[in-house]
Amino acid sequence: MPRLSEVLAELDALWPPERAESWDAVGTVCGDPDAEIRRVLFAVDPVREIADEAVALGADLIVTHHPLYLRGTTTVAAGHFKGRVVHTLIKHDIALHVAHTNADTADPGVSDALAGALDLRVTGPLVPENNLGRICELDHPETLAAFAARAAKRLPATAQGIRVAGDPDMTVRRVAVSGGSGDSLFDAVRAAGVDAFLTADLRHHPVSEATQRSPLGLVDAAHWATEWPWCELAAAQLDTLSDRHGWDLRVHVSKTVTDPWSSHHTSPGAPN
């Protein structure tokens, strides 16, 4: 069995920590470098449900996309929900490792996994300077409504579902995709000359301005849903490394939905 330090060295080669944004908190949160690793669980969020799932699974290592302590902390007391996660992991000898913005800009990375989940052909990065997002082509043109339906079918189901802005009958041939929050990328999307942009966390004003400036179609999925495909990609990458080194790791992807929204209601609207 490999030691944690050996597995982490390979993960850092896949997602170099120096590629992370300066504000980010990536790397190992807890874990003994000399501990033996047999079973690994990939997930988007380092929340209590994932920690409990790892305990039930008998995992020795959790790899998540989102950090546990993005803004730092002065305590890991178990009375706090994040501290409870740390206590659970340490009590059961489970390490936690984070690959966040360094996985966003990896090749392949989060947006490659998103494109793959939608069966899109990647032609290049959306933002070449930092390899962020992807420009993709569809095998056959389809309407914006059909493209949104494709996203709804192929991405994990969430309470939010898929929101669409733009003419549902417009033709879509080239699209940009970016896992996670993407409304800071509208300038790059417009410069790319794509027909549609699929991402998450789109806000009212950027969407309103984007649709007024051009006929761009917008497809807004839940943040968690756009990043979950990366877990499958990352697990496959670790499986390959395990085979290469003869580690015989058992690698799992959590199917637990940790998107924070729990339900969706369509309003009939207020009376006039």
Side-chain angles (χ1 to χ4, degrees), residues 114 155-158 221-229 259:
L114 176 57
L155 294 179
T158 62
H223 190 117
W224 174 85
T226 64
E227 293 181 331
W228 183 85
D259 182 77

Side-chain angles (χ1 to χ4, degrees), residues 85-246:
V85 169
V86 174
H87 277 253
T88 298
L89 297 180
I90 293 176
K91 179 179 179 180
H92 294 276
D93 295 321
I94 302 171
L96 172 62
H97 187 77
V98 174
H100 191 210
T101 53
N102 50 327
D104 288 332
T105 58
D107 186 9
V110 171
S111 292
D112 294 285
L114 176 57
L118 297 173
D119 198 23
L120 303 175
R121 184 171 66 257
V122 174
T123 62
L126 175 61
V127 185
E129 295 79 15
N130 59 4
N131 200 39
L132 188 64
R134 293 294 181 265
I135 299 173
C136 309
E137 293 182 352
L138 281 66
D139 288 337
H140 304 285
E142 60 189 32
T143 65
L144 178 61
F147 179 65
R150 175 199 295 238
K153 179 179 179 181
R154 294 176 179 266
L155 294 179
T158 62
Q160 171 185 314
I162 302 294
R163 300 190 299 176
V164 180
D167 180 0
D169 294 323
M170 68 176 288
T171 301
V172 175
R173 297 180 178 86
R174 298 179 69 241
V175 302
V177 302
S178 181
S181 303
D183 62 16
S184 65
L185 300 175
F186 276 130
D187 286 345
V189 170
R190 281 188 286 267
V194 296
D195 303 307
F197 179 36
L198 185 149
T199 188
D201 297 340
L202 292 181
R203 295 170 295 158
H204 174 88
H205 292 296
V207 169
S208 178
E209 293 173 3
T211 55
Q212 292 295 313
R213 292 181 63 170
S214 72
L216 179 69
L218 299 176
V219 180
D220 181 41
H223 190 117
W224 174 85
T226 64
E227 293 181 331
W228 183 85
W230 172 79
C231 295
E232 291 195 322
L233 169 63
Q237 290 177 291
L238 183 55
D239 265 330
T240 298
L241 291 169
S242 176
D243 291 343
R244 182 185 305 165
H245 292 295

